[in-house]
Amino acid sequence: MREIFYLTKRNSLVFLRDRKAVFFSVLSMLIVLGLMVIFLGGMNSRELVELLEQYGGERDLARDEENARYLIQMWTLAGILVVNSVTVTMTVIGTMVQDEEQSRLASFYVTPVKRGKLVLGYVLAAWLTGAGLSVLTLAVGEIYMATQGWGLLSPRVLAVMCGMILFNTFVYASLGYLLAMFIHSYSAWGGMLTIVGTLVGFAGGIYLPMSAFSERLQTVLKCLPVLHGTSMMRRVCLEEITETTFEGMPHQAVEIFQEKMGITLTAGENIIPMGNQFFVLLIYGILATGIAFLLNRRRRLKDRTE
């Protein structure tokens, strides 16, 4: 445990001391958040108001517009939290690629520390750092919501969201480590981060609602962990505002909206339960961790024979 603690601390500090890496991690999050709020947020808000007018008959238009704005802002924030869970953890995992490129990893291998502990040192550092910055993002988002007069989420919802952040970042830290095992150049890893950072927004239905994709593409995306993580986060943080916004509306209207915006996912005609989505993410995390340990064991055996 002592070795794991010091390895985790060392890997976390390597990232945090790189001010440029931390700055651009935070800056990219703020840029995406700003673009979503300014451009796509307004468009999605108008569509929601039109839906309320279509199904709700006579309604308070000003109140509907205000609720719609808040709902879409929270929808956006939940997506950004998942983006951070992926991109920040993978940025921290890049420490391992850098260590290998600069031959520091080979020095670790000749020490008495077991390779399994080295794996945990990188994964835990990525997990904790990614979770910390994601929680910071949630706090900044809540402060912004409060300044707009929308108040704060309930303590129960905030606690559940923090738990989901911890769970998501662990899964993506494990997947990121497994991916990093096949990349041996830090510049190549930087290029990979650019690709992943771009694709994750679309794969998670974060930049565009699910209704913007074809049914075939939606089926493919439902096999990926990012979409399920985003859906779970949105289902929790939008629970309260959805009830307020759709007050007096038929349940059918709520279901249509939630499916269109990727808040709920369906398999056939049935909504996928949150427990099943949790299980999908858990399987990805366990498989990634297990494969990483097996690959490290094979490399160790290969090094001994050589």
Side-chain angles (χ1 to χ4, degrees):
M1 289 298 295
R2 197 175 196 182
E3 293 92 342
I4 295 174
F5 171 78
Y6 284 115
L7 286 168
T8 302
K9 180 181 178 181
R10 177 261 177 188
N11 295 330
S12 298
L13 290 177
V14 168
F15 169 75
L16 294 174
R17 286 173 178 170
D18 187 347
R19 296 180 181 179
K20 290 183 180 179
V22 176
F23 172 76
F24 283 110
S25 296
V26 176
L27 180 62
S28 61
M29 172 265 297
L30 293 176
I31 290 175
V32 173
L33 182 61
L35 291 175
M36 291 290 294
V37 169
I38 295 171
F39 295 106
L40 294 179
M43 180 182 67
N44 291 328
S45 297
R46 288 192 297 272
E47 292 182 355
L48 176 54
V49 172
E50 291 174 0
L51 178 65
L52 295 173
E53 291 178 345
Q54 180 180 353
Y55 283 90
E58 294 185 6
R59 298 183 62 86
D60 186 339
L61 180 59
R63 183 169 177 267
D64 282 345
E65 289 179 344
E66 189 68 15
N67 288 335
R69 284 183 59 224
Y70 180 37
L71 192 152
I72 295 301
Q73 303 294 351
M74 291 302 301
W75 180 87
T76 301
L77 178 61
I80 297 301
L81 291 175
V82 177
V83 171
N84 272 10
S85 298
V86 177
T87 57
V88 175
T89 52
M90 291 192 67
T91 302
V92 181
I93 286 293
T95 303
M96 187 195 78
V97 180
Q98 194 172 30
D99 285 343
E100 182 177 5
E101 188 177 50
Q102 298 177 359
S103 301
R104 286 194 291 262
L105 194 58
S107 300
F108 288 143
Y109 286 159
V110 299
T111 64
V113 179
K114 295 181 179 180
R115 290 198 179 187
K117 293 181 178 180
L118 290 174
V119 174
L120 288 175
Y122 287 114
V123 172
L124 289 176
W127 176 33
L128 297 176
T129 306
L133 287 180
S134 295
V135 170
L136 177 62
T137 304
L138 175 60
V140 172
E142 281 290 88
I143 292 172
Y144 169 77
M145 302 299 176
T147 60
Q148 299 299 307
W150 289 319
L152 301 174
L153 294 172
S154 67
R156 179 188 67 83
V157 173
L158 287 173
V160 174
M161 289 189 68
C162 287
M164 285 189 171
I165 287 172
L166 287 170
F167 181 59
N168 272 276
T169 47
F170 172 74
V171 171
Y172 302 130
S174 301
L175 290 169
Y177 181 86
L178 179 60
L179 181 61
M181 294 185 70
F182 300 95
I183 298 177
H184 309 289
S185 166
Y186 192 67
S187 59
W189 183 252
M192 178 65 68
L193 283 179
T194 302
I195 296 173
V196 170
T198 303
L199 292 180
V200 70
F202 293 99
I206 295 165
Y207 299 152
L208 294 173
M210 287 296 292
S211 59
F213 303 119
S214 65
E215 291 187 7
R216 182 174 297 180
L217 182 56
Q218 289 183 35
T219 301
V220 173
L221 295 179
K222 288 174 185 177
C223 298
L224 302 178
V226 177
L227 185 59
H228 291 281
T230 308
S231 172
M232 291 171 61
M233 195 79 72
R234 285 172 170 165
R235 288 174 76 167
V236 171
C237 74
L238 295 177
E239 180 182 355
E240 297 173 347
I241 183 57
T242 299
E243 292 180 1
T244 302
T245 303
F246 287 88
E247 184 179 1
M249 299 279 288
H251 188 65
Q252 179 187 8
V254 181
E255 290 183 345
I256 291 174
F257 173 77
Q258 289 181 328
E259 184 177 352
K260 178 180 179 180
M261 300 299 290
I263 300 170
T264 57
L265 303 178
T266 58
E269 299 295 326
N270 301 316
I271 295 175
I272 301 175
M274 192 177 294
N276 291 9
Q277 294 178 305
F278 180 89
F279 184 71
V280 169
L281 287 171
L282 183 62
I283 290 297
Y284 268 98
I286 292 174
L287 285 176
T289 304
I291 293 172
F293 271 101
L294 288 175
L295 290 176
N296 268 295
R297 185 178 180 182
R298 288 184 61 184
R299 288 183 180 181
R300 181 179 60 189
L301 294 174
K302 183 178 179 181
D303 291 343
R304 285 180 177 178
T305 57
E306 292 177 352

